Amino acid sequence: MLPDSPLLQLKGIDKSFPGCRANESIDLDIQAGEIHALLGENGAGKSTLVKIIYGVLRPDHGDLWWQGKPLRVASPAAARRVGIGMVFQHFSLFDAMTVLENIALALPAQDVGALRDNIDATAGSYGLALDLDRYVYELSMGERQRIEIVRSLLQNPQLLILDEPTSVLTPQETEMLFITLRALADEGRAVLYISHKLEEVRRLCDRATILRDGRRVADCIPAEETAQSLAEKMIGRRIDQSTGKAPRRLGQPALRISELRTHSDAPHGISLSDMSFTVNQSEILGIAGIAGNGQTELMTALTGETGPPSSGLIEFMGTPANRLGPLARRKLGAAFVLEERVGHAAVGDMSLIENSFLTTLDDAAFCRHGVIKWPAVRAFSNQITHDFDVRTTGVDALASSLSGGNLQKFIVGREMLQRPGVLIVSQPTWGVDAGAAADIHRAIRSLAEAGSAILIISQDLDEILALCDRVAVVSQGTLSTVHPIQEVTPEQIGMLMGIRHDAIENEATRVTA
């Protein structure tokens, strides 16, 4: 490396797609040993830029320099050979394979025993524990994120790019990740960090580059900014920070769960045990918890995807729904925002118009006597993109062409604009920028004020405290007592989240010792 030259330098990077200029004359330099934030609202060009660095895309114009020398990155494999690693926001894992098999795919062939030892040592040293024999389809989103991070660290990168790494991590997991990243920086490696969690950026990152509409608009030192000033630099306008959390007159129970029990046949699955709670009309109930403690199982039990529960009662709008499937539950007035955007909440290879129809196909306004009213569906799709500020080239675009945050806004908008009697949302603002998150929160409050019952399953304690009227914590498939939000502190919720989790980890350590 030349004296004082950056580890990585970008000069005049341009990249366009049909109808969209994603990057325009962007300059960026990253020093060895620093944690550098790349900030911008959804659609600002962040993902395109890091895909160019990682060799997924090639720039139309501009140059890359690595350790003071010109760099041409022809592919992700070439990037990894140079010393550039990346963890994408959307996971690239095979559900039907084990953790060990998924990691092995990304590494040179080696003895399985040696690979196990290497993984265990790397994961253990960075506090990212993995069960190598579990299948990916059994894992929570947080556990899948750990696989991606460990897999990248095993390739010994000099520059590690992380795209929304804490979006599915708990506060405890986030703290462990920060320790890992600071250790990497102390070793002289660089980290390029993309996140919409601006308080995290302020705590972690040494410098920040801010993009807006594909252009670099500012550079700053995050510790010298506030979260609001960073957000306003990103979106180019002031953000209304008012919570709008006014008292609401509650109505009748709209969602009632009584002594719900489910059984998981998966070797490491979570069975739900005697869960009971009620959500009234105009009420927002939050369920907090560490990833992998039953949130996925609860969501699928409520949507009806996994069939009737072992015992107990699920009731929507006063009607028992145990034996009803997802469509029949929607007919009762339920709507669902699922945690996994691509492949579960939306189909990547379908257009936004087609995706908007997926959960409205029984609505007479869009389909009658088996005939789809496409003009009405198109109008609905346009309303979603307008009302929720979804950045796209048009409603004929594929869902896979949207950034993660924009696809999240589209999915949330699709469900909320149906004005459901009951809305069940898992991770409502995962991967969404600060401005969009504030807009989604306002929309959720407005829906509650209009009389809907809302259940929010979230790992973001700040989100639950800001939105919810009452809160409970799920741990290993059991639910704590439901408390009014004003009667608990973040520390108390964190303790409820962590007590059982810590006991399980300690037991696992004892058994494997």
Side-chain angles (χ1 to χ4, degrees), residues 244-354:
K245 197 171 180 180
R248 294 183 296 274
R249 184 184 297 275
L250 303 186
Q252 296 298 311
L255 170 64
R256 189 160 71 93
I257 307 301
S258 178
E259 298 182 352
L260 179 69
R261 299 175 69 93
T262 67
H263 175 70
S264 175
D265 292 324
H268 302 280
I270 299 294
S271 296
L272 305 183
S273 177
D274 294 323
M275 279 197 178
S276 297
F277 61 87
T278 298
V279 190
N280 300 300
Q281 293 171 330
S282 296
E283 181 181 36
I284 306 175
L285 173 66
I287 293 184
I290 292 170
N293 275 271
Q295 294 95 324
T296 299
E297 290 79 4
L298 175 60
M299 190 69 177
T300 56
L302 294 175
T303 61
E305 295 176 58
T306 51
S310 301
S311 63
L313 175 68
I314 300 174
E315 188 176 276
F316 289 98
M317 308 302 291
T319 301
N322 283 34
R323 298 190 174 279
L324 300 181
L327 180 58
R329 296 185 189 200
R330 285 182 175 276
K331 288 181 180 179
L332 295 178
F336 310 97
V337 176
L338 306 170
E339 177 181 4
E340 191 170 357
R341 289 192 282 255
V342 180
H344 200 187
V347 180
D349 292 335
M350 294 174 67
S351 69
L352 296 183
I353 293 176
E354 293 166 327

Side-chain angles (χ1 to χ4, degrees), residues 16 118 142 206 232 370 414 424 430:
S16 295
N118 194 11
D206 304 302
E232 291 172 353
R414 179 188 65 190
I424 301 174
W430 173 34

